[in-house]
Amino acid sequence: MTRQTRLVTLSATFSAALGLAGCRSTPPSDSSGTAAQTPRRGGELLVSVRSEPRSFNRHAARDTTTSIVSTLTQATLIRLNQFSQAVEPGLAEGWTTADEGRRITMALRRDVVFSDGHPFTADDVVFSFQAAYDERSGSRLADSVKAGGKKLLVAATDPHTVVITFPQAFAPGLRILDPLPILPRHKLEPALKAGTITKAWGLDTPPSEIVGLGPFVLSQYIPGQRVVFARNPRYFGKAADGTALPYLDRLVLEIIPDQSAELLRLESGQLDMMTSEISPDAYAPLKRAADQGRVKLLDLGVSRNADGLWFNLKPGALAGDQRAAWLQSDELRRAISMAVDRKRFADTVFLGAAVPAYGPETPANKQWYWAGVPQTPHDPAGAKRLLASVGLTDRNGDGMLEDARGQPARFTLLTQKGRPNLERAAAVIRDELQKIGVLVDVVALEPAAVIDRFLNARYDAVYFNAEKSDMDPGTNPDFWFSSGSAHPWNLEQKTPATEWERRIDELMARQIASTEQTERKRLYDEVQKIFSEHMPIVYFAAPRIYVAHSARVINVTPAESRPQLLWRPDIVAVIH
C-alpha cells in the first residue's frame, strides 16, 4: 500500500471513529470526547507558532502571531464563536437594535478593569474606534471595521453604554466588531494624538507596558525563541460555574519555524499544541502517538480557505521590467490554472487528503460557495496556446518559451520556508509549468521576509496563505475591496486599477447592504464569477484540516480556522 493510500485510509478510519468526518453539528466537550475531565485552575500550556510577532499591537500588523498575541492579551466587544459562527457577548454583555438594525445600543460589563487595575469604560470603546480610523496611523484594522468603506459612528452615552450607528444598512451586523481589540485609552491616548498608534507597543516595548482586558498578560519576550504570558488575575471572564478564568497560570508561545521540529516536539511531549493544522504526511506518526494515548488527533473536515498563487499586479511595481506585459496578464494566470494537474497537486502536496479548488471559496463554506464556479480542465496544450497569445512561444526549438526579445519566460515564486505543504506546492507548480516551457525559480524565505516582500510589492509571484477572516464575505472588506489592506495582488488601491475590480467593489457594496439573503447570495455568486474570469489568485486544492494536541490538554473546542485550538484561550485547561 502506498504512503498516500495509507494516509487516506487511516484518515477515513479515524474520522469515522470520532464521528467527525465532514461538518460537525455540535462541538465535543473536549477534543478527546471525554466530558469527565473537569477543568481545574493552574498549569502551563506550551504552544508553537511558526514565526515571531511583527508587533504586540494588532493595529500595526496582521500576521498570525501578532493576532494570537492580541487574542491572549486583549478583549473585544463581541466574540464570534469560531465553531458555531454565532455572535456571543464579550465586553458588551447585551445589546438592543433600532432603525432596522443600523443603530445598536450596547450595555458594557460593569466592574471590569484593565490588567493594570485601571477601570474600563465606554470611553475606551470610543478611543479604540478612533485608533482604528486614524488616517495618520494607518491601522491594519481600519477597513475591517467599516461598513461599505464608511466609518461607524460610535458614541458613549454614559460610562457603561455605547451607541454604534452604521452609516448604511449592513447585513453582517455585529460580526464586524470581532477583530477590534478594546485598548486602554489611559495608556495609548498620547500615541493617538501624535498619529503614531501603529508604532506603539512594538517588540521593544517592556512587557509591563502592554495593558489589556484579555485573559493573559505579556511577561517575557525572547526574540527568536518564545513569548511568555501569565494569567491576568483581573480578567473579567468566568466559567459557567462561576470559576474565574483563565484556567491556565501560564502560556508560552514557542517560536518554531520548522514544521518537522514542531511535530517532533509534539510527539515527544515537549509541546502541547500547535496554532495551525498539521501537514498530511505527519498524520501517520501522530496517529501512532494517538493510539498510544500521548496525543489527541482530530479531522476537522475540508478547509474553507486554500493557499493560493498570486502575481504582483500593482501598476508600476515592475517598471522597467520587460516581462511586465505578460507577467501581469490574465492569460498567464489562466494558463497556469490549466497547466497544473490538480489531482497530482492534491496527491503530492496533501497526499490525497484534499479536494480540487477553483476559486476563493471552497465547498466547506456551504452558505456562500458558488456551485457554478468553472472547473478549469487540465489542458497543457491549451495553456501553451494562451501563452502564445501574449507573445510567449518556443522560438529556438528547445522546448522552452521565450518572449519577442528572445528572453526566457521565467519568474521567481516566493513561499515560506519550513512549511512542507507550501514548499511541496511550489515545487509542483514549478514542475508543471516547466512542462509547458515556463521556468519558475522557487525561493523559500522565512515568514517575516515573505510578508515584507509581499507588503512592499517586491516580488514576481507568491504562493502563500490568502485567508479570509470570516465565512460571511461582508466582513472581509480588506480582502474584497480594491482599497483593502489584504487585497493580496494589489494592496490598498486609491482607486480600482482595473474595471473588473471596480465591478467587484460595486457588487460587494450592494452585497453588504442587502437585507435579503437570497440577493446577497446572488451578488456574491457574481463576485465569484468575475474572480474566476480574471483569477487574481489561482487556487489548486483545499486540504482536509487535521489538528493535534497533547493528551493532557482539555476543554478545547476545535474550529476549522486558525488558531484551531486556541481561539478561546481563557477556557483551555491542562490535566495536572
Side-chain angles (χ1 to χ4, degrees):
M1 191 162 59
T2 66
R3 185 184 187 194
Q4 174 194 328
T5 306
R6 183 166 62 249
L7 169 75
V8 175
T9 303
L10 285 171
S11 167
T13 303
F14 187 68
S15 298
L18 287 178
L20 290 172
C23 297
R24 299 189 308 269
S25 58
T26 56
S29 56
D30 67 61
S31 58
S32 68
T34 57
Q37 292 284 5
T38 301
R40 291 194 301 120
R41 269 282 314 280
E44 176 183 77
L45 188 74
L46 299 177
V47 182
S48 64
V49 291
R50 302 271 172 79
S51 61
E52 298 196 52
R54 293 174 65 84
S55 174
F56 296 137
N57 180 356
R58 186 66 181 81
H59 288 278
R62 65 185 327 120
D63 62 285
T64 299
T65 308
T66 297
S67 180
I68 291 171
V69 170
S70 182
T71 298
L72 294 172
T73 59
Q74 309 300 325
T76 55
L77 287 171
I78 60 94
R79 178 178 55 241
L80 184 61
N81 185 309
Q82 293 299 324
F83 180 86
S84 69
Q85 294 297 302
V87 173
E88 300 175 341
L91 291 168
E93 60 183 357
W95 50 84
T96 58
T97 61
D99 192 16
E100 298 182 329
R102 289 183 56 184
R103 188 168 70 255
I104 301 171
T105 301
M106 311 195 84
L108 305 180
R109 296 180 187 272
R110 294 171 181 265
D111 301 322
V112 173
V113 298
F114 284 92
S115 54
D116 63 355
H118 194 281
F120 157 68
T121 71
D123 288 340
D124 296 299
V125 176
V126 174
F127 170 81
S128 298
F129 278 89
Q130 291 171 340
Y133 295 148
D134 183 48
E135 294 181 358
R136 298 168 301 167
S137 299
S139 168
R140 292 292 177 184
L141 295 176
D143 45 7
S144 299
V145 286
K146 290 180 180 178
K150 300 175 182 176
K151 301 174 185 177
L152 310 186
L153 180 62
V154 183
T157 57
D158 67 47
H160 304 291
T161 308
V162 171
V163 177
I164 299 176
T165 305
F166 286 81
Q168 62 184 58
F170 185 69
L174 286 176
R175 297 173 76 95
I176 196 176
L177 305 181
D178 179 66
L180 184 69
I182 302 304
L183 300 176
R185 176 184 173 185
H186 68 283
K187 295 291 289 186
L188 294 176
E189 189 170 35
L192 179 60
K193 287 181 176 178
T196 58
I197 197 72
T198 54
K199 292 183 172 60
W201 290 358
L203 299 182
D204 58 351
T205 305
S208 61
E209 290 297 306
I210 311 296
V211 173
L213 294 161
F216 295 91
V217 293
L218 181 65
S219 64
Q220 185 185 38
Y221 169 53
I222 304 176
Q225 297 184 41
R226 66 185 58 87
V227 192
V228 182
F229 302 85
R231 183 177 189 274
N232 176 8
R234 297 186 170 102
Y235 180 57
F236 65 88
K238 288 184 169 49
D241 63 0
T243 300
L245 297 174
Y247 288 115
L248 297 168
D249 285 337
R250 180 175 145 105
L251 188 151
V252 180
L253 294 182
E254 296 281 358
I255 301 166
I256 310 175
D258 184 78
Q259 189 172 357
S260 298
E262 244 184 339
L263 293 166
L264 286 172
R265 292 181 64 172
L266 182 63
E267 285 183 73
S268 64
Q270 299 176 65
L271 196 65
D272 290 315
M273 68 169 64
M274 307 188 318
T275 51
S276 59
E277 63 277 10
I278 65 170
S279 59
D281 53 337
Y283 185 93
L286 285 176
K287 178 65 168 62
R288 289 193 293 271
D291 290 343
Q292 296 165 8
R294 291 185 285 119
V295 302
K296 301 295 181 181
L297 185 60
L298 290 175
D299 175 356
L300 303 184
V302 174
S303 173
R304 70 173 191 245
N305 282 300
D307 300 326
L309 166 69
W310 67 87
F311 284 82
N312 184 352
L313 302 186
K314 186 174 286 295
L318 302 178
D321 191 330
Q322 298 293 329
R323 302 172 304 155
W326 62 264
L327 200 60
Q328 295 184 322
S329 68
D330 286 7
E331 288 81 3
L332 173 64
R333 300 189 299 278
R334 287 202 296 269
I336 290 172
S337 182
M338 296 168 70
V340 175
D341 183 340
R342 284 173 169 78
K343 184 180 186 307
R344 177 174 180 250
F345 188 97
D347 289 348
T348 304
V349 178
F350 301 111
L351 308 185
V355 300
Y358 301 94
E361 300 293 352
T362 78
N365 194 349
K366 297 181 185 299
Q367 185 174 5
W368 297 106
Y369 174 71
W370 177 40
V373 62
Q375 300 196 0
T376 309
H378 178 224
D379 183 3
K384 293 185 76 169
R385 288 193 295 271
L386 263 179
L387 294 177
S389 73
V390 292
L392 299 179
T393 58
D394 182 3
R395 300 175 188 276
N396 56 21
D398 65 353
M400 305 309 292
L401 305 183
E402 292 86 27
D403 63 17
R405 299 173 302 112
Q407 296 301 308
R410 187 171 200 157
F411 65 87
T412 299
L413 179 62
L414 304 182
T415 196
Q416 181 179 332
K417 182 187 296 185
R419 292 283 300 277
N421 291 355
L422 296 181
E423 292 179 326
R424 282 198 298 264
V428 171
I429 293 167
R430 177 198 62 206
D431 295 347
E432 294 286 81
L433 294 192
Q434 186 169 4
K435 294 175 184 176
I436 63 167
V438 177
L439 293 172
V440 180
D441 300 307
V442 175
V443 176
L445 301 174
E446 297 297 336
V450 177
I451 293 170
D452 180 71
R453 296 275 291 273
F454 157 53
L455 292 177
N456 291 290
R458 294 186 291 106
Y459 67 97
D460 292 344
V462 173
Y463 187 82
F464 203 54
N465 318 117
E467 295 188 352
K468 300 174 294 301
S469 58
D470 188 13
M471 297 186 80
D472 188 317
T475 57
N476 291 299
D478 49 351
F479 179 89
W480 282 115
F481 283 93
S482 59
S483 59
S485 60
H487 195 68
W489 55 93
N490 185 0
L491 296 171
E492 300 177 315
Q493 303 168 45
K494 295 187 184 305
T495 57
T498 63
E499 175 58 26
W500 60 266
E501 286 175 294
R502 184 200 63 77
R503 178 62 176 153
I504 287 179
D505 284 359
E506 177 186 287
L507 289 167
M508 286 304 301
R510 291 167 55 194
Q511 201 267 355
I512 63 178
S514 176
T515 58
E516 294 293 331
Q517 181 62 25
T518 302
E519 177 66 0
R520 290 192 72 204
K521 180 65 167 66
R522 185 192 71 78
L523 290 166
Y524 192 52
D525 285 353
E526 181 67 18
V527 168
Q528 293 176 77
K529 180 175 183 293
I530 294 171
F531 193 101
S532 71
E533 291 168 351
H534 296 276
M535 292 188 181
I537 302 178
V538 186
Y539 298 96
F540 304 104
R544 295 193 70 86
I545 299 297
Y546 300 94
V547 294
H549 63 77
S550 165
R552 77 189 195 99
V553 179
I554 60 173
N555 217 45
V556 292
T557 304
E560 181 271 334
S561 61
R562 297 175 183 166
Q564 292 93 349
L565 300 172
L566 202 61
W567 62 273
R568 276 296 309 274
D570 54 346
I571 64 171
V572 176
V574 293
I575 299 171
H576 61 94

PDB file of all heavy atoms in Angstrom, residues 321-323 326 395 402-407:
ATOM      1  N   ASP A 321      10.821  46.491 -16.162  1.00  0.00           N
ATOM      2  CA  ASP A 321      10.948  45.048 -16.357  1.00  0.00           C
ATOM      3  C   ASP A 321      10.202  44.674 -17.644  1.00  0.00           C
ATOM      4  O   ASP A 321       8.992  44.836 -17.738  1.00  0.00           O
ATOM      5  CB  ASP A 321      10.359  44.305 -15.157  1.00  0.00           C
ATOM      6  CG  ASP A 321      10.688  42.817 -15.167  1.00  0.00           C
ATOM      7  OD1 ASP A 321      10.843  42.246 -16.272  1.00  0.00           O
ATOM      8  OD2 ASP A 321      10.770  42.224 -14.078  1.00  0.00           O
ATOM      9  N   GLN A 322      10.940  44.185 -18.627  1.00  0.00           N
ATOM     10  CA  GLN A 322      10.343  43.863 -19.930  1.00  0.00           C
ATOM     11  C   GLN A 322       9.314  42.735 -19.840  1.00  0.00           C
ATOM     12  O   GLN A 322       8.518  42.541 -20.748  1.00  0.00           O
ATOM     13  CB  GLN A 322      11.446  43.468 -20.923  1.00  0.00           C
ATOM     14  CG  GLN A 322      12.453  44.561 -21.200  1.00  0.00           C
ATOM     15  CD  GLN A 322      11.851  45.746 -21.938  1.00  0.00           C
ATOM     16  OE1 GLN A 322      10.925  45.587 -22.728  1.00  0.00           O
ATOM     17  NE2 GLN A 322      12.355  46.945 -21.654  1.00  0.00           N
ATOM     18  N   ARG A 323       9.319  42.007 -18.728  1.00  0.00           N
ATOM     19  CA  ARG A 323       8.369  40.896 -18.576  1.00  0.00           C
ATOM     20  C   ARG A 323       6.989  41.352 -18.151  1.00  0.00           C
ATOM     21  O   ARG A 323       6.035  40.571 -18.149  1.00  0.00           O
ATOM     22  CB  ARG A 323       8.885  39.908 -17.529  1.00  0.00           C
ATOM     23  CG  ARG A 323      10.259  39.311 -17.806  1.00  0.00           C
ATOM     24  CD  ARG A 323      10.733  38.507 -16.610  1.00  0.00           C
ATOM     25  NE  ARG A 323      10.725  39.336 -15.401  1.00  0.00           N
ATOM     26  CZ  ARG A 323      10.623  38.865 -14.155  1.00  0.00           C
ATOM     27  NH1 ARG A 323      10.510  37.571 -13.952  1.00  0.00           N
ATOM     28  NH2 ARG A 323      10.628  39.687 -13.127  1.00  0.00           N
ATOM     29  N   TRP A 326       3.512  40.393 -19.942  1.00  0.00           N
ATOM     30  CA  TRP A 326       2.957  39.039 -19.822  1.00  0.00           C
ATOM     31  C   TRP A 326       2.870  38.567 -18.379  1.00  0.00           C
ATOM     32  O   TRP A 326       1.978  37.793 -18.028  1.00  0.00           O
ATOM     33  CB  TRP A 326       3.754  38.037 -20.670  1.00  0.00           C
ATOM     34  CG  TRP A 326       5.198  37.839 -20.328  1.00  0.00           C
ATOM     35  CD1 TRP A 326       6.272  38.450 -20.904  1.00  0.00           C
ATOM     36  CD2 TRP A 326       5.748  36.939 -19.342  1.00  0.00           C
ATOM     37  NE1 TRP A 326       7.453  38.006 -20.347  1.00  0.00           N
ATOM     38  CE2 TRP A 326       7.163  37.069 -19.394  1.00  0.00           C
ATOM     39  CE3 TRP A 326       5.188  36.039 -18.439  1.00  0.00           C
ATOM     40  CZ2 TRP A 326       8.014  36.343 -18.568  1.00  0.00           C
ATOM     41  CZ3 TRP A 326       6.030  35.300 -17.612  1.00  0.00           C
ATOM     42  CH2 TRP A 326       7.425  35.453 -17.677  1.00  0.00           C
ATOM     43  N   ARG A 395      10.855  29.833 -29.541  1.00  0.00           N
ATOM     44  CA  ARG A 395      11.476  30.468 -30.703  1.00  0.00           C
ATOM     45  C   ARG A 395      12.751  29.784 -31.167  1.00  0.00           C
ATOM     46  O   ARG A 395      13.242  30.054 -32.262  1.00  0.00           O
ATOM     47  CB  ARG A 395      11.755  31.943 -30.392  1.00  0.00           C
ATOM     48  CG  ARG A 395      10.484  32.718 -30.057  1.00  0.00           C
ATOM     49  CD  ARG A 395      10.750  34.146 -29.624  1.00  0.00           C
ATOM     50  NE  ARG A 395       9.515  34.753 -29.151  1.00  0.00           N
ATOM     51  CZ  ARG A 395       8.594  35.318 -29.942  1.00  0.00           C
ATOM     52  NH1 ARG A 395       8.780  35.339 -31.246  1.00  0.00           N
ATOM     53  NH2 ARG A 395       7.499  35.842 -29.417  1.00  0.00           N
ATOM     54  N   GLU A 402       9.961  31.690 -25.021  1.00  0.00           N
ATOM     55  CA  GLU A 402      10.660  32.968 -24.964  1.00  0.00           C
ATOM     56  C   GLU A 402       9.710  34.077 -25.392  1.00  0.00           C
ATOM     57  O   GLU A 402       8.716  33.832 -26.071  1.00  0.00           O
ATOM     58  CB  GLU A 402      11.882  32.975 -25.898  1.00  0.00           C
ATOM     59  CG  GLU A 402      13.008  32.052 -25.486  1.00  0.00           C
ATOM     60  CD  GLU A 402      12.811  30.627 -25.998  1.00  0.00           C
ATOM     61  OE1 GLU A 402      12.129  30.459 -27.042  1.00  0.00           O
ATOM     62  OE2 GLU A 402      13.303  29.685 -25.351  1.00  0.00           O
ATOM     63  N   ASP A 403      10.058  35.309 -24.998  1.00  0.00           N
ATOM     64  CA  ASP A 403       9.265  36.447 -25.440  1.00  0.00           C
ATOM     65  C   ASP A 403       9.805  36.966 -26.774  1.00  0.00           C
ATOM     66  O   ASP A 403      10.719  36.379 -27.369  1.00  0.00           O
ATOM     67  CB  ASP A 403       9.248  37.546 -24.374  1.00  0.00           C
ATOM     68  CG  ASP A 403      10.633  38.138 -24.085  1.00  0.00           C
ATOM     69  OD1 ASP A 403      11.552  37.951 -24.903  1.00  0.00           O
ATOM     70  OD2 ASP A 403      10.768  38.801 -23.038  1.00  0.00           O
ATOM     71  N   ALA A 404       9.256  38.079 -27.238  1.00  0.00           N
ATOM     72  CA  ALA A 404       9.635  38.600 -28.550  1.00  0.00           C
ATOM     73  C   ALA A 404      11.106  38.987 -28.621  1.00  0.00           C
ATOM     74  O   ALA A 404      11.698  39.033 -29.711  1.00  0.00           O
ATOM     75  CB  ALA A 404       8.755  39.801 -28.893  1.00  0.00           C
ATOM     76  N   ARG A 405      11.737  39.258 -27.466  1.00  0.00           N
ATOM     77  CA  ARG A 405      13.150  39.638 -27.438  1.00  0.00           C
ATOM     78  C   ARG A 405      14.071  38.421 -27.316  1.00  0.00           C
ATOM     79  O   ARG A 405      15.284  38.559 -27.246  1.00  0.00           O
ATOM     80  CB  ARG A 405      13.416  40.590 -26.268  1.00  0.00           C
ATOM     81  CG  ARG A 405      12.632  41.891 -26.321  1.00  0.00           C
ATOM     82  CD  ARG A 405      12.817  42.729 -25.044  1.00  0.00           C
ATOM     83  NE  ARG A 405      12.413  41.990 -23.849  1.00  0.00           N
ATOM     84  CZ  ARG A 405      13.242  41.576 -22.901  1.00  0.00           C
ATOM     85  NH1 ARG A 405      14.523  41.830 -22.995  1.00  0.00           N
ATOM     86  NH2 ARG A 405      12.786  40.930 -21.856  1.00  0.00           N
ATOM     87  N   GLY A 406      13.435  37.243 -27.266  1.00  0.00           N
ATOM     88  CA  GLY A 406      14.217  36.024 -27.117  1.00  0.00           C
ATOM     89  C   GLY A 406      14.585  35.697 -25.691  1.00  0.00           C
ATOM     90  O   GLY A 406      15.345  34.763 -25.423  1.00  0.00           O
ATOM     91  N   GLN A 407      14.022  36.448 -24.730  1.00  0.00           N
ATOM     92  CA  GLN A 407      14.285  36.196 -23.318  1.00  0.00           C
ATOM     93  C   GLN A 407      13.367  35.092 -22.798  1.00  0.00           C
ATOM     94  O   GLN A 407      12.190  35.014 -23.183  1.00  0.00           O
ATOM     95  CB  GLN A 407      14.087  37.474 -22.504  1.00  0.00           C
ATOM     96  CG  GLN A 407      15.064  38.582 -22.857  1.00  0.00           C
ATOM     97  CD  GLN A 407      16.504  38.154 -22.644  1.00  0.00           C
ATOM     98  OE1 GLN A 407      16.872  37.661 -21.577  1.00  0.00           O
ATOM     99  NE2 GLN A 407      17.329  38.308 -23.680  1.00  0.00           N
TER     100      GLN A 407
END
